[in-house]
Amino acid sequence: RVILTRPCRSASELGAAVSGLQRRNLQVLVEAVSVDEALTAQESGADGIVAKGSEAGGRIGDETSFLLLQRLSGLLSKPLYAQGGVGLHTAAACHVAGARGAVLDWQLCLVEESRLPAALRLALSRLDGSETAPVGLRLGDAYRLYLGPARTLLPKLQEKEHRLVTSDLSEEERVDRWRGLID
């Protein structure tokens, strides 16, 4: 199983990527941060859709995973998976909203079998989300980033985002440059 996380420029490009992976006998899930992305993923032949909410890390959309799941529930025939904001008390709600499962990432670092040093696991277990911030909202290509103790990256990214938003570049050029900065 593989999850495609970066949106393609077109539905045909996504379709080619999906079918190429499926020819290698892989089940292909496509991450979607909006209804439009989810519909494009389904039309492109994806085996399932990961509804990634604004509370997740990395590329995000405007809605929480739970709201996005509810909006997608009746629209898609492919299986839906939730990413972001899924915990012990919300997993059942995600299932009721139409999710077949959940995508976990950093949460797995906290399991007893994790090879991370105990001190790092303890530090990760104390994070509450206030150590993150979204950037790129005004460009329509948002990411939730871990800021770290120094928090020096955020003002720099916000300034670069502002310069791109106010530039004379086309929307496509702005997003391309923004993704280059994020990468």
Side-chain angles (χ1 to χ4, degrees):
R1 191 178 284 179
V2 65
I3 300 175
L4 298 179
T5 62
R6 178 63 68 85
C8 294
R9 292 207 179 278
S10 67
S12 61
E13 185 181 328
L14 178 58
V18 168
S19 63
L21 291 165
Q22 288 170 334
R23 281 194 298 274
R24 293 188 167 111
N25 294 321
L26 292 168
Q27 183 182 31
V28 182
L29 305 179
V30 175
E31 181 182 280
V33 299
S34 69
V35 171
D36 288 342
E37 283 186 11
L39 291 171
T40 299
Q42 179 168 275
E43 291 166 12
S44 299
D47 298 304
I49 314 299
V50 176
K52 188 172 182 190
S54 59
E55 66 277 59
R59 193 174 73 85
I60 59 170
D62 296 334
E63 298 180 300
T64 66
S65 57
F66 189 66
L67 289 176
L68 184 56
L69 277 172
Q70 290 176 74
R71 288 176 24 95
L72 293 173
S73 184
L75 295 176
L76 302 177
S77 59
K78 299 293 182 170
L80 277 170
Y81 301 87
Q83 183 174 4
V86 179
L88 290 175
H89 305 291
T90 57
C94 288
H95 178 72
V96 169
R100 182 170 291 177
V103 175
L104 303 177
D105 44 37
W106 280 99
Q107 300 92 327
L108 297 176
C109 292
L110 302 178
V111 299
E112 193 174 311
E113 297 84 1
S114 172
R115 293 184 181 176
L116 285 179
L120 182 53
R121 279 201 324 263
L122 179 62
L124 287 172
S125 73
R126 293 180 175 159
L127 299 179
D128 64 8
S130 65
E131 308 82 3
T132 69
V135 293
L137 295 168
R138 294 179 295 162
L139 290 166
D141 193 54
Y143 297 81
R144 179 167 299 283
L145 304 178
Y146 170 69
L147 301 174
R151 297 182 183 255
T152 57
L153 179 62
L154 184 61
K156 292 175 187 175
L157 281 173
Q158 288 171 328
E159 173 58 29
K160 291 180 186 214
E161 178 184 358
H162 176 72
R163 285 186 188 158
L164 285 170
V165 166
T166 58
S167 73
D168 292 333
L169 298 170
S170 70
E171 183 178 339
E172 186 176 313
E173 290 173 313
R174 289 177 188 163
V175 170
D176 282 345
R177 289 193 185 182
W178 176 245
R179 289 182 180 164
L181 290 169
I182 293 297
D183 287 345

